[in-house]
C-alpha cells in the first residue's frame, strides 16, 4: 500500500502585501498538483492587482511592483473565486494539501474571500474537511530539538530539496510539497501508519503546543507579541463594537 507521502499531493502558496492576515492582501498565488514523487508538477498561477499600495519591503521580497500588478494583475474578486473553487475541488477529491505555515496563507485567503466574495473558505469547502500538511509544524514536532530557523529556505536545506526562484508562489508551493515528501521518508517509522486525516488532526494539537511554547518564550523575554494557537485556519475576529 502506497504511503501518503509517496502518493498524490497538492500545495498552495501566496505572496502578499505584508504579514497581517486581517489587513494585508494577496498579490500572487499558486496551486501545484503532483501525482507521484518526481512526477510532473502542474501549476496554476494567479497574479492579483489588490487595489492597495504595495509596500517597498514587500516588493523587495517577492519582486512584484505596484506598476507591474496594475498592468498584468487581475481584480481580486474573480481570482479568489477561482482559488476557492480549486481548493474545494482538491478537497472533494481527497487530495492532501501542503501549505507552509498554513495559518498565514489559509487565513489570508479566507479574509480575501470574505472581503471580495462575501463568503469564507469553510463555505467553499462545504461539509468536506480539508486535509492539510504543514511542513513547518511537521518538522518542528518531529525534530523539535534541532536548533535554528525553520523557514522554507531552511527546511529545503535541511531536507535537501532544491528551491529555485524563492518567493515565487509556484516555486515555493512545489518546494514545500517536496519537503513534506522528504519529511515523510525521514520519519517514516513515525508517520507511515498515519492517514493524512489523522495527521491533520495531530498537527492541530502539535501546533497549539508549539504556540504555547513560543508564547511562554515571548513572555519570559518581555515581548508583547501574541501567538495564535489555531491551525490551519484562524477564527474570524469579532466585529468591532
Amino acid at each position: 500500500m502506497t504511503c501518503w507521502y509517496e502518493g498524490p499531493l497538492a500545495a498552495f502558496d501566496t505572496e502578499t502585501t505584508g504579514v497581517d492576515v486581517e489587513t494585508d492582501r494577496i498579490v500572487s498565488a499558486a496551486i501545484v498538483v503532483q501525482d507521484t514523487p518526481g512526477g510532473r508538477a502542474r501549476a496554476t498561477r494567479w497574479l492579483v492587482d489588490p487595489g492597495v499600495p504595495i509596500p517597498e519591503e514587500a516588493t523587495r521580497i517577492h519582486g512584484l511592483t505596484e506598476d507591474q500588478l496594475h498592468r498584468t494583475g487581475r481584480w481580486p474578486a474573480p481570482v479568489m473565486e477561482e482559488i476557492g473553487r480549486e481548493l474545494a475541488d482538491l478537497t472533494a477529491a481527497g487530495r492532501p494539501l501542503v501549505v507552509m505555515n498554513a495559518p498565514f496563507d489559509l487565513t489570508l485567503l479566507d479574509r480575501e474571500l470574505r472581503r471580495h466574495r462575501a463568503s469564507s473558505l469553510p463555505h467553499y469547502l462545504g461539509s468536506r474537511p480539508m486535509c492539510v500538511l504543514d511542513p513547518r509544524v511537521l518538522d518542528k514536532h518531529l525534530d523539535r530539538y534541532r536548533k535554528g530557523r525553520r523557514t522554507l529556505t531552511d527546511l529545503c536545506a535541511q531536507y535537501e530539496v532544491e528551491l529555485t526562484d524563492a518567493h515565487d508562489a509556484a516555486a515555493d508551493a512545489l518546494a514545500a510539497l517536496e519537503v513534506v515528501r522528504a519529511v515523510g521518508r525521514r520519519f517514516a517509522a513515525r508517520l507511515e501508519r498515519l492517514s493524512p486525516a489523522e495527521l491533520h488532526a495531530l498537527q492541530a494539537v502539535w501546533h497549539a503546543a508549539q504556540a504555547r511554547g513560543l508564547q511562554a518564550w515571548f513572555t519570559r523575554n518581555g515581548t508583547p507579541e501574541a501567538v495564535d494557537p489555531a491551525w490551519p485556519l484562524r477564527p474570524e475576529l469579532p466585529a468591532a463594537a
Side-chain angles (χ1 to χ4, degrees):
M1 182 175 175
T2 302
C3 295
W4 59 264
Y5 49 82
E6 303 291 359
L9 294 176
F12 173 63
D13 189 73
T14 66
E15 297 298 328
T16 69
T17 59
V19 297
D20 188 329
V21 296
E22 303 298 338
T23 60
D24 280 305
R25 310 297 176 89
I26 293 173
V27 297
S28 71
I31 294 175
V32 172
V33 177
Q34 187 184 56
D35 296 328
T36 58
R40 184 175 68 89
R42 306 182 298 279
T44 304
R45 299 173 173 86
W46 293 270
L47 199 61
V48 186
D49 180 359
V52 300
I54 311 299
E56 290 183 5
E57 55 268 31
T59 296
R60 282 196 293 270
I61 293 172
H62 50 59
L64 298 171
T65 66
E66 194 167 329
D67 178 66
Q68 178 185 359
L69 292 170
H70 283 331
R71 287 186 289 106
T72 61
R74 297 169 58 201
W75 290 115
V79 171
M80 302 312 151
E81 171 77 11
E82 290 170 14
I83 296 173
R85 288 187 179 276
E86 180 68 19
L87 293 182
D89 289 345
L90 291 168
T91 298
R95 187 173 294 241
L97 182 68
V98 175
V99 189
M100 174 72 183
N101 191 16
F104 178 79
D105 290 80
L106 294 181
T107 303
L108 189 58
L109 173 61
D110 176 78
R111 302 316 189 247
E112 289 278 54
L113 288 168
R114 293 173 188 273
R115 183 178 294 120
H116 296 292
R117 305 301 305 179
S119 188
S120 66
L121 183 55
H123 174 80
Y124 275 81
L125 300 177
S127 61
R128 306 176 185 91
M130 180 178 281
C131 183
V132 176
L133 301 170
D134 188 331
R136 187 173 183 272
V137 175
L138 291 170
D139 173 73
K140 197 169 184 179
H141 177 79
L142 295 164
D143 197 2
R144 68 182 68 184
Y145 299 114
R146 190 180 78 248
K147 302 295 185 182
R149 289 154 45 91
R150 298 177 194 255
T151 66
L152 180 59
T153 300
D154 298 317
L155 295 186
C156 285
Q158 177 69 24
Y159 290 95
E160 300 180 348
V161 169
E162 182 179 3
L163 174 58
T164 57
D165 201 10
H167 298 295
D168 170 83
D172 285 358
L174 178 58
L177 186 153
E178 296 290 2
V179 166
V180 163
R181 292 198 190 279
V183 169
R185 296 185 192 108
R186 183 171 298 185
F187 297 99
R190 300 167 66 181
L191 296 176
E192 63 184 357
R193 291 181 176 83
L194 295 171
S195 70
E198 290 170 329
L199 196 51
H200 177 102
L202 286 170
Q203 285 171 100
V205 176
W206 296 344
H207 178 271
Q210 293 162 10
R212 289 193 297 270
L214 182 57
Q215 188 70 76
W217 187 88
F218 282 156
T219 300
R220 289 195 302 271
N221 288 274
T223 302
E225 185 174 348
V227 184
D228 195 321
W231 182 96
L233 181 66
R234 296 175 189 170
E236 183 184 15
L237 292 175

